[in-house]
């Protein structure tokens, strides 16, 4: 177990610090973070236990590795798009969780058009 889990407040603070990120609360109090209108991370209390769970977009390689870890599962409804859900808050340390969220932001940013990235003040990628 990694210990030292990321809280919802820490999740929101970290995501807010990422360039051009925006937040909306939807789907029954889920904290949904977007860049250019596209979701890169979600923190929600989905499930019967009511515990906060972090979900994020992954690279193909990270997805393959993460779903092999205890306490991390393919995210319902989003797994085919390479999203994971951290079911056990101790499955990832704060630092690792933040690193994956930052990577998710970069993945989504790279999928934006050049004009969208320019309008958002984001560095050109590719």
């Amino acid at each position: 177990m990694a210990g030292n889990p990321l809280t919802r407040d820490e999740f929101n603070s970290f995501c807010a610090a990422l360039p051009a990120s925006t937040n909306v609360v939807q789907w029954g109090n889920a904290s949904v973070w977007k860049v250019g209108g596209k979701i890169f991370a979600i923190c929600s209390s989905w499930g019967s236990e009511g515990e906060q769970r972090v979900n994020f977009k992954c690279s193909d390689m990270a997805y393959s590795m993460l779903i092999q870890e205890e306490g991390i599962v393919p995210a319902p409804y989003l797994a085919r798009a390479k999203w994971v859900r951290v079911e056990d808050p101790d499955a990832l340390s704060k630092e690792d969780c933040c690193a994956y969220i930052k990577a998710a932001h970069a993945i989504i940013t790279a999928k934006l058009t050049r004009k969208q990235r320019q309008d958002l003040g984001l560095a050109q990628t590719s």
Side-chain angles (χ1 to χ4, degrees):
M1 296 280 192
N4 199 19
L6 189 67
T7 67
R8 184 171 177 146
D9 287 342
E10 291 167 333
F11 168 84
N12 284 329
S13 293
F14 182 79
C15 290
L18 294 171
S21 63
T22 59
N23 178 249
V24 63
V25 176
Q26 59 189 70
W27 304 321
N29 202 28
S31 184
V32 180
W33 285 90
K34 302 178 183 185
V35 61
K38 297 182 183 293
I39 303 170
F40 66 90
I42 303 168
C43 185
S44 174
S45 58
W46 293 325
S48 58
E49 300 84 32
E51 292 181 26
Q52 296 299 313
R53 294 202 167 70
V54 173
N55 304 259
F56 50 84
K57 171 78 172 145
C58 299
S59 68
D60 290 349
M61 184 184 305
Y63 179 81
S64 296
M65 290 176 7
L66 285 170
I67 62 171
Q68 301 302 315
E69 296 294 322
E70 185 78 27
I72 301 175
V73 299
Y77 309 108
L78 298 169
R80 68 186 180 120
K82 304 296 191 260
W83 277 69
V84 297
R85 174 184 289 169
V86 182
E87 286 284 322
D88 180 347
D90 292 325
L92 286 176
S93 68
K94 287 180 188 180
E95 295 77 16
D96 288 344
C97 196
C98 288
Y100 281 114
I101 293 168
K102 185 176 181 180
H105 180 274
I107 290 166
I108 299 303
T109 297
K111 292 183 178 200
L112 300 175
T113 65
R114 183 173 292 159
K115 176 157 179 26
Q116 286 174 308
R117 289 190 306 266
Q118 185 178 17
D119 290 349
L120 292 169
L122 300 169
Q124 295 292 331
T125 57
S126 62

